[in-house]
Amino acid sequence: MIGKENNRNSMAGIREFFKKDRFAEYVGLELVAASPGTATVRLEIRQEHLNGMDLVHGGAIFALADFAFAVASNSHGTAALGINATISYLKATRGGVLTADAVEVAKNHKTATYQINITNEKEDLIAVFQRTFRTLLKGCLSNYYFTDFQNEYFTSYGTVNTSGVTPIACKYSR
């Protein structure tokens, strides 16, 4: 449950919320920093992140960038899911640590676009990722915090108040 003191606009609230991202944990993504509209995520490259040519697999780089986007785009306290993604791989890499820095470049009440730069330890630009989100529901503004994804089509929301979280059920459809 996300309360006033531990909401997704705080680093503690963001970290707590994204602990539930089992894929990020499995891949080894580490949340370094986050604030509204920004995020920094690291990935220490392991053998399982390499492709058949012993280069970091494009999917590992995409996952790193996508997680940074997820943190930054959901850091405003609204439920946001990506609707478009573009990545340009600029330089191959074999190992070390990759860092994804996400920055919000445009935002309105329905959508926002983020640019995520992926660099290595030497600060060489490895890839550039751009992604757009759409808020899930009309009327779910920054004072709403989602507490749980029940499935792809139905999300449970709650408003933060002094007595805790009051659930509000919201329907999402394609």
Side-chain angles (χ1 to χ4, degrees), residues 7-8 17 41 47 57 94 118 120 124 150 152 154 168:
N7 69 49
R8 285 190 300 141
F17 179 78
V41 177
Q47 289 295 313
H57 193 286
R94 294 187 182 276
I118 299 89
N120 62 15
D124 296 328
Q150 293 179 350
E152 181 181 356
F154 188 77
I168 299 172

Side-chain angles (χ1 to χ4, degrees), residues 96-115:
V97 175
L98 297 181
T99 302
D101 290 304
V103 178
E104 187 176 89
V105 294
K107 184 176 186 297
N108 64 41
H109 67 284
K110 291 182 183 179
T111 64
T113 299
Y114 290 77
Q115 179 167 319

Side-chain angles (χ1 to χ4, degrees), residues 3-14:
K4 255 186 184 175
E5 322 67 51
N6 193 25
N7 69 49
R8 285 190 300 141
N9 291 53
S10 72
M11 185 63 179
I14 291 167

Side-chain angles (χ1 to χ4, degrees), residues 77-79 109-110 134-145 157-159 168 170-171:
T78 56
H109 67 284
K110 291 182 183 179
R134 175 162 172 75
T135 52
L136 283 178
L137 304 161
K138 186 176 182 180
C140 289
L141 303 174
S142 61
N143 62 329
Y144 290 87
Y145 300 91
Y157 282 73
T159 59
I168 299 172
C170 302
K171 186 80 171 169

Side-chain angles (χ1 to χ4, degrees), residues 74-105:
N74 282 281
S75 65
H76 292 290
T78 56
L81 292 177
I83 59 172
N84 185 35
T86 304
I87 191 165
S88 296
Y89 299 97
L90 307 175
K91 184 175 184 177
T93 187
R94 294 187 182 276
V97 175
L98 297 181
T99 302
D101 290 304
V103 178
E104 187 176 89
V105 294

Side-chain angles (χ1 to χ4, degrees), residues 26 33 67 99 129-130 149 163:
Y26 176 78
F67 186 63
T99 302
F129 182 84
Q130 186 178 40
F149 281 108
S163 63

